[in-house]
Structures are given as C-alpha cells and as structure tokens.
C-alpha cells in the first residue's frame, strides 16, 4: 500500500483592487516620483497654460483622460503590437484621444478651446504620456495601467494647478476669475506683472521643486 500523500493544489490568492502594490501606482507620482518635479517632464504646458486656473484645470483633466485611456488601450493591445512599430501605434492612439478632447472642447466650450488652442494638440507629444506608455502600459495588465495613468495624471495636475493658483492670485489678484482681494476690501492690492509671464511660472515651479525635494530628500545624481 502506497504511503505517498497527495499535496493540496496551491490556490493563488487574488490581488485586491487597491492592494499596497497598486496604491503605489497612484500615490508615488503625487510626490516621490512626480512627473514634473522629479522626472522633469511636461514642463512646457506647466509654463504655458498656468496663467489662470480655469484653462489649467481643463488642461489637467484633458491630460488625465488621455493618460488613463491611452494606457488602457495600449495595455490591451500590448501582445499584438510589433516592437518595430510600437511608437507609431502609441502616437496613433494618443493622437486619436487628443483629437476627441479637442473636438469636445470645440463643440461645448469654444472659448476655452480658443484659450488653450495649440496646447491641447501638444498633449500628443507630452513626454509624460509617451513615457508611461513605453515604460509601463506595454508591460503591464490593463487595470494596473489605468491606475498608473491616473496617478501620473494627478501628479501632473496638482503641480500645474498650484503654479496657476499663485500666478493668477499674484498676477491679477483673482482665483478662477473671482477678484479675491477686492472681495476682502483690498482694492488697491498691487499685482505683480512678472507672474503672468513664463518667468513667473519658472519661479513658482522652482519653489515647488525646492520645497518638495527638501521634504522628500530627493537628490539628483
């Protein structure tokens, strides 16, 4: 009679939708691996569209949309994309999504479309978008890729919104077009014209990078 015992089959435990590993996809780009302040990507739009909060918010939402859905689509197609044409496929997907955003703005928010004009189209060449497709979506599952796109989009968004807040309130005394200083009785508040120029964006962004890196201890090598 055989004395061998049968081993029970190993059942792989299903990973939680927001496991510790997956949470890092969303939280890391907010600070430790921020696409603007650490990776120094997407600087052009951070300087160009941040004179006011309204267009900056629209730009932020547009980039989040493109990041999430381009990551999702490329991840779903990852096993069918030949390596030699992967960049072309990525550009085609991103360009399609950006065109969709562009047309929606043109149809439903024409004034905002005119304000942002060419900058929406330049999302196609945004290094953050192409970088996440190449570095993450091509090698990971769709759900993880969606979380990665969301995290990178939020990390990008809070930086440009912070820059826009300080540029608008110091440059024009307003927030989302609302005259803050007039409302609190400071009608003669002296605005700073430097804040409405790209130089002002560089200054504010520089302070954000300095504060964040001082807090996290990040050192460029």
């Amino acid at each position: 009679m055989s004395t061998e015992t049968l081993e029970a089959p190993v059942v792989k435990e299903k990973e939680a939708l927001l496991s510790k590993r997956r949470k890092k996809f969303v939280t890391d780009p907010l600070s430790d691996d921020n696409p603007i302040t650490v990776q120094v990507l997407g600087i052009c739009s951070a300087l160009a569209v941040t004179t006011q909060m309204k267009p900056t918010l629209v730009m932020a939402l547009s980039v989040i949309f493109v990041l999430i859905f381009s990551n999702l689509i490329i991840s779903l197609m990852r096993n069918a994309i030949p390596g030699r044409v992967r960049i072309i496929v990525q550009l085609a997907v991103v360009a399609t999504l950006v065109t969709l955003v562009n047309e929606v703005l043109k149809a439903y928010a024409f004034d905002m479309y005119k304000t942002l004009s060419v900058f929406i189209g330049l999302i196609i060449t945004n290094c953050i978008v192409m970088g996440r497709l190449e570095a993450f979506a091509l090698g990971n599952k769709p759900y993880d890729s969606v979380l990665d796109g969301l995290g990178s989009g939020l990390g990008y968004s809070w930086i440009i919104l912070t820059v826009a807040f300080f540029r608008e309130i110091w440059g024009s005394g307003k927030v989302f077009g609302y005259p803050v200083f007039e409302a609190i009785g400071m009608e003669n508040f002296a605005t700073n014209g430097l804040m409405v120029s790209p130089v002002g964006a560089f200054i504010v962004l520089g302070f954000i990078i300095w504060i964040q890196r001082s807090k996290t201890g990040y050192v460029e090598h």
Side-chain angles (χ1 to χ4, degrees), residues 189-203:
F189 176 78
T191 57
N192 190 334
L194 186 67
M195 286 293 110
V196 298
S197 71
V199 176
F202 265 120
I203 293 171

Side-chain angles (χ1 to χ4, degrees), residues 16-84:
L17 289 177
L18 283 176
S19 62
K20 186 176 180 180
R21 181 184 71 89
R22 283 174 166 165
K23 283 180 181 177
K24 289 176 71 67
F25 296 151
V26 179
T27 58
D28 278 2
L30 297 178
S31 179
D32 294 339
D33 196 26
N34 188 273
I36 294 181
T37 60
V38 176
Q39 300 176 38
V40 197
L41 302 174
I43 295 294
C44 295
S45 54
L47 303 178
V49 303
T50 54
T51 52
Q52 295 179 328
M53 290 288 286
K54 285 182 181 177
T56 305
L57 179 60
V58 173
M59 185 69 174
L61 293 174
S62 300
V63 171
I64 290 173
F65 171 81
V66 172
L67 270 165
I68 289 175
F69 283 96
S70 60
N71 266 21
L72 174 62
I73 294 168
I74 292 298
S75 180
L76 289 169
M77 298 170 58
R78 68 188 186 282
N79 295 324
I81 302 174
R84 290 176 295 179

